[in-house]
Amino acid sequence: MARYLITSALPYINGIKHLGNLAGSMLPADVHARFRRLQGHEVLFICATDEHGTPAELAAAEAGLDVKTYCDQQYQIQKDACDGFKLSFDHFGRSSNPPNHRLTQHFCEALEKNGLIEERVSKQIYSIDDKRFLPDRYVEGTCPVCGFERARGDQCDNCQTLLDPIQLKNPRSKISGSTNVEPRDTAHLFLKQPLMQDRIRAWVDKSTEWPPLARSIAYKWLDEGLIDRSITRDLSWGIRVTQNGAVRPGFENKVFYVWFDAPIEYIGSTVEWSEATGGGWERWWREDKGARDVTYVEFMGKDNVAFHTVSFPVTIMGSGEPWKLVDRLKAFNWVTWYGGKFSTSEKRGIFMDQALELLPSDYWRWYLMANAPESSDAAFTLEQFQQTINADLANVFGNFVNRITRFCASKFDAQVPDGGEAGANEQKLADDFAQRLAALTQFHDQMEFRKAAAELRAIWVAGNEYLQVAAPWTALKTDRAAAAVGVRTGLNACALFAILAQPFIPDAAKTVLDALGVPEEKRMWPKPEDRGVWDALPRGLAITPPEVLFKKIEDEDVAAWAAQFGAGA
């Protein structure tokens, strides 16, 4: 038994996430965690909401709430959506909780002792009317490059140029709209990343199990040269900046930058899990406390890769303490909505809560993983969604389960039949299954989700092909023993197919396994060499044909949803 620490990129607190966010981190992480558990490994699957930073303050102000109340509400909304999608986190924490405060402050002080933190004075926009310094996203103005009049202080959304608020023409406060602003000196802490450049590159060089996308992004940042990075902001909501256990002088109105504290919350959330369950968090994160034998796997969208392959490792390594570093990293491209962006304000695209109002989570889980944005961006279209669900889940998997269980109920008293001996057809099915199971297991191990879904579908198809050849409904007319073999093999195939489906479609898989009376301890991932799986259901076992597992999506459904969610708009 191996040990797997699995983390998903933290969903940001300001609003429910769309299906693209789900497909790019939380859902594949869940599929992998489920797979590893089914193999019998010890798994700790951690996530949390990312609650600090300017967007949280702005969203709270827009909602007319103080930031903590806003975050409390949004955390529950996001947790409910994650629960609805059956994301099997061992703990879903919050970056605003005390463990992350303690750890973030600890890391900063450790980095400073090692000469990697420097306090510097720089110019920042100050709003005289608001009586405060304005972090980059609190400033708007005209882009000095393209002339766009609503450029943000950190980036122009029109020409994508990265900016400093000082560069904006005609700057104004996003809080009040006031143009009564001016540059003033303010002190901030900087993380001296260039001092760690060689160590980070050597570590990336050794990380051969990362996919090409993740390695290429890490090398791009390293090749361009790491820069000193400000890790504090002039905000009230966040983690206080400390020195020797007390608020750092001159930093009374400052907090740590959200991208400094957010990755530390992976550890913070594990501490929360430890406090809630009594489990030992250090054996997962401290190499001097048992974490050396842990395989740490991170899941994220491509926009988060640089922070996880460079910035967070600088923090971890720079502390000089024996923290666990990531071993395997899976990065995803974007899921687009008909080739464009999901947008809450423009009502374009389906968001997690809306999806669950339309259909159960298994429909979405299957489609998003069967079309995972691994090698390139993947466009979500309702038409392709309909085609995939109807073909894979309704016609192939659902149809197989329905045919064999109902036939067993009507002709064999809803019991696994005895009699007859397996022949050439059963041998071929078992041989093909063993080959495909080995491939499916390898794809899951390599976190190649599209290929894993395609291989699982091929296994389901092989089962349908077997039923066509064995044709127990025909054999029953002349040879009840031969029909019994076909039904018994088909029912054992049902159980196997559902066991293998658990990572992708856990609810439907559970429905099938419950209907077949498969005990929990018999639902583990099978080994290709184990031929006993084809006679695993006890003869005489009573079964209950499940209701239709997946209803087909009709053209009228697609038309209604297209109108509701702006398909192709």
Side-chain angles (χ1 to χ4, degrees):
M1 184 174 72
R3 298 172 62 214
Y4 287 88
L5 172 63
I6 299 172
T7 62
S8 163
L10 311 185
Y12 196 70
I13 196 67
N14 64 337
I16 201 80
K17 302 301 118 180
H18 58 65
L19 294 179
N21 300 133
L22 178 67
S25 56
M26 292 183 287
L27 180 54
D30 178 68
V31 171
H32 192 63
R34 288 177 179 272
F35 167 67
R36 291 302 187 194
R37 290 189 193 112
L38 290 171
Q39 286 189 306
H41 299 305
E42 185 182 4
V43 172
L44 187 63
F45 180 24
I46 294 293
C47 193
T49 42
D50 176 7
E51 301 192 5
H52 297 138
T54 309
E57 285 199 358
L58 292 175
E62 194 173 324
L65 298 170
D66 65 87
V67 194
K68 185 182 184 307
T69 301
Y70 173 80
C71 289
D72 289 346
Q73 291 180 1
Q74 291 298 317
Y75 169 80
Q76 195 58 52
I77 290 169
Q78 295 210 25
K79 187 177 186 304
D80 290 346
C82 291
D83 290 344
F85 271 93
K86 307 301 161 62
L87 303 180
S88 60
F89 303 125
D90 290 292
H91 191 75
F92 186 65
R94 303 180 63 176
S95 70
S96 63
N97 279 342
N100 194 42
H101 285 243
R102 296 194 300 267
L103 284 160
T104 299
Q105 291 163 347
H106 166 81
F107 274 110
C108 180
E109 296 200 22
L111 289 164
E112 187 161 25
K113 285 175 186 171
N114 292 336
L116 292 169
I117 297 286
E118 184 173 282
E119 184 176 327
R120 296 180 189 168
V121 173
S122 58
K123 295 285 186 187
Q124 191 169 329
I125 298 294
Y126 184 86
S127 170
I128 296 167
D129 292 343
D130 298 320
K131 298 183 175 60
R132 60 176 293 175
F133 283 100
L134 300 178
D136 40 23
R137 288 201 178 191
Y138 274 48
V139 187
E140 281 188 342
T142 302
C143 175
V145 177
C146 72
F148 181 59
E149 293 184 351
R150 287 184 290 110
R152 295 198 315 257
D154 59 347
Q155 185 176 4
C156 174
D157 285 336
N158 187 55
C159 69
Q160 309 307 316
T161 301
L162 295 176
L163 299 169
D164 185 287
I166 298 293
Q167 296 174 282
L168 291 175
K169 298 178 181 176
N170 307 315
R172 60 188 174 275
S173 165
K174 192 163 182 181
I175 301 171
S176 61
S178 171
T179 57
N180 190 18
V181 299
E182 64 184 19
R184 288 188 184 180
D185 287 342
T186 184
H188 282 292
L189 298 185
F190 283 76
L191 180 58
K192 298 161 74 173
Q193 294 188 131
L195 297 181
M196 294 291 292
Q197 169 123 2
D198 292 343
R199 282 186 65 189
I200 296 294
R201 182 179 289 276
W203 174 64
V204 173
D205 288 344
K206 292 178 187 174
S207 301
T208 53
E209 291 199 50
W210 296 1
L213 176 64
R215 286 170 66 84
S216 65
I217 292 172
Y219 280 127
K220 179 178 183 292
W221 274 49
L222 289 164
D223 291 344
E224 290 174 356
L226 300 185
I227 60 170
D228 295 341
R229 182 164 150 263
S230 171
I231 61 166
T232 54
R233 292 291 187 272
D234 289 288
L235 292 169
S236 57
W237 172 248
I239 297 175
R240 294 291 163 202
V241 184
T242 58
Q243 188 176 43
N244 301 321
V247 174
R248 189 184 186 99
F251 283 69
E252 292 81 5
N253 298 312
K254 303 176 195 290
V255 297
F256 283 106
Y257 176 40
V258 63
W259 259 114
F260 183 71
D261 85 74
I264 296 170
E265 170 58 12
Y266 293 139
I267 309 173
S269 187
T270 312
V271 175
E272 292 179 43
W273 163 81
S274 176
E275 292 174 350
T277 64
W281 71 269
E282 288 181 311
R283 63 188 290 267
W284 293 97
W285 282 104
R286 294 279 302 203
E287 294 199 336
D288 58 339
K289 301 288 180 67
R292 287 189 185 277
D293 66 346
V294 170
T295 298
Y296 177 21
V297 190
E298 291 178 347
F299 288 83
M300 72 201 66
K302 60 186 176 184
D303 57 329
N304 286 346
V305 170
F307 293 103
H308 286 79
T309 58
V310 177
S311 299
F312 185 40
V314 166
T315 298
I316 292 285
M317 290 186 199
S319 72
E321 298 167 344
W323 295 97
K324 179 66 188 172
L325 289 159
V326 66
D327 297 295
R328 303 179 69 188
L329 187 152
K330 178 70 175 181
F332 290 85
N333 290 283
W334 306 131
V335 173
T336 64
W337 179 255
Y338 287 82
K341 286 184 177 181
F342 284 78
S343 171
T344 310
S345 59
E346 295 174 18
K347 295 184 179 176
R348 295 188 68 250
I350 300 175
F351 289 69
M352 286 173 67
D353 55 342
Q354 298 167 328
L356 294 173
E357 292 171 1
L358 302 179
L359 291 167
S361 60
D362 279 350
Y363 290 71
W364 308 102
R365 288 176 63 104
W366 176 259
Y367 177 82
L368 292 171
M369 289 295 89
N371 298 277
E374 292 172 309
S375 58
S376 62
D377 291 350
F380 185 104
T381 71
L382 288 165
E383 294 76 14
Q384 188 186 10
F385 176 64
Q386 175 192 29
Q387 180 183 355
T388 300
I389 295 305
N390 290 352
D392 296 357
L393 298 186
N395 291 347
V396 180
F397 181 57
N399 182 53
F400 178 82
V401 172
N402 186 62
R403 287 169 76 192
I404 195 63
T405 56
R406 291 190 180 280
F407 183 71
C408 174
S410 66
K411 304 300 183 184
F412 287 90
D413 299 323
Q415 293 181 359
V416 178
D418 197 1
E421 296 296 328
N425 290 334
E426 289 72 37
Q427 185 64 45
K428 181 180 185 302
L429 176 65
D431 289 344
D432 289 349
F433 175 79
Q435 275 193 319
R436 290 200 175 279
L437 174 58
L440 174 62
T441 303
Q442 183 178 20
F443 291 141
H444 270 299
D445 182 72
Q446 294 171 344
M447 299 178 289
E448 295 189 65
F449 295 97
R450 272 187 184 235
K451 291 180 180 178
E455 197 64 45
L456 179 57
R457 183 185 189 279
I459 289 172
W460 295 340
V461 167
N464 279 287
E465 291 172 347
Y466 165 77
L467 283 187
Q468 291 300 105
V469 174
W473 29 85
T474 303
L476 186 64
K477 298 171 184 175
T478 57
D479 188 346
R480 187 172 178 84
V485 172
V487 171
R488 187 167 63 247
T489 302
L491 291 173
N492 277 287
C494 260
L496 282 170
F497 296 175
I499 286 169
L500 299 181
Q502 290 175 103
F504 287 119
I505 47 173
D507 285 348
K510 183 179 187 307
T511 297
V512 173
L513 293 169
D514 287 349
L516 296 175
V518 179
E520 290 290 338
E521 67 273 12
K522 299 289 187 183
R523 300 183 183 189
M524 302 301 284
W525 197 262
K527 292 183 169 57
E529 64 272 15
D530 182 5
R531 295 304 174 101
V533 295
W534 290 103
D535 204 13
L537 296 177
R539 301 179 192 205
L541 174 73
I543 69 150
T544 307
E547 297 297 318
V548 173
L549 290 174
F550 295 98
K551 65 168 190 160
K552 286 193 174 181
I553 297 172
E554 305 296 341
D555 291 345
E556 304 82 66
D557 298 322
V558 172
W561 299 341
Q564 182 178 356
F565 300 108

